[in-house]
Amino acid sequence: MSGPAGAPANGPTVLPAVVPLDLAGRVDDVVAVEVSGGNLPERLSVSRRAVFLGHAENPEHRGRGLVLPDGTLVGFCYGYPTRAGTWWRDVVDQHLAEDRWRRGTFELAELHVAREWQGRGWGERLLRAVLAGCGEARALLTCKTEAQRAHALYDRLGFVVLAEGIRFTGYPDGYDVLGVELPLR
């Protein structure tokens, strides 16, 4: 008997591989992972699909997927060098006290792992794979304020909280802005 996202009901028995992510080509799988990870109500999947496709159009995006031997995507991470004039950057810039975070920075846009694969270090592997050799001096991300497990991961990797509880239009949750000097520790 199988569980969601390709995991056996009693837990994973095969190991996925971290591979380059074809974000546009796997957009439906990406949405399914975000839903299965508990980070997205299914009713928002259509709008998130459009966001992912928009991100895939950025020629500088770097992504990695966590893929089972049968091709099932069970995690993903991607981002790109941040640029002034983008929605996320314009919101985040208002909350950054130090100018250095506005230059030479990689925006870690998304990191999600299907619930059945969480807590096994796969998120860290994806994050490291995306940031390795990204060419930027720093990385920024936003994380839900109450996401304690995610905050613990980022803290362990050297991220620091730069701003707390910011709000994005259309999103009810508060988000913290985190940054790290690269390479990761």
Side-chain angles (χ1 to χ4, degrees):
M1 177 178 224
S2 289
N10 61 350
T13 58
V14 296
L15 294 179
V18 175
V19 301
L21 176 66
D22 174 5
L23 183 57
R26 303 226 38 191
V27 68
D28 292 328
D29 297 330
V30 164
V31 170
V33 167
E34 189 175 15
V35 169
S36 73
N39 296 311
L40 180 70
E42 195 153 353
R43 64 183 167 73
L44 298 178
S45 60
V46 172
S47 62
R48 287 297 286 167
R49 185 180 195 281
V51 168
F52 294 138
L53 288 172
H55 290 172
E57 291 177 3
N58 182 329
E60 296 181 282
H61 90 273
R62 289 175 54 92
R64 296 293 181 268
L66 187 61
V67 179
L68 296 175
D70 70 0
T72 301
L73 185 74
V74 294
F76 67 93
C77 180
Y78 71 87
Y80 27 73
T82 187
R83 302 283 183 250
T86 63
W87 172 81
W88 184 88
R89 168 75 182 270
D90 289 348
V91 172
V92 169
D93 269 2
Q94 299 170 39
H95 302 278
L96 295 176
E98 295 180 51
D99 193 48
R100 69 186 173 114
W101 294 103
R102 294 179 178 89
R103 314 180 296 284
T105 303
F106 189 85
E107 175 187 334
L108 190 67
E110 302 288 342
L111 170 60
H112 299 283
V113 176
R115 187 175 310 276
E116 296 78 17
W117 294 88
Q118 292 175 7
R120 294 173 176 84
W122 293 110
E124 179 176 342
R125 288 182 185 121
L126 286 167
L127 179 66
R128 285 185 181 280
V130 168
L131 293 178
C134 74
E136 304 296 332
R138 288 165 287 286
L140 282 175
L141 61 84
T142 48
C143 179
K144 286 183 181 178
T145 300
E146 80 275 354
Q148 295 174 354
R149 285 179 62 190
H151 276 276
L153 165 64
Y154 299 133
D155 182 61
R156 189 172 67 252
L157 296 176
F159 282 83
V160 295
V161 176
L162 303 172
E164 295 178 295
I166 70 169
R167 300 282 179 180
F168 292 104
T169 302
Y171 292 84
D173 300 311
Y175 286 80
D176 296 342
V177 179
L178 287 75
V180 68
E181 298 287 338
L182 297 175
L184 292 174
R185 63 176 179 207

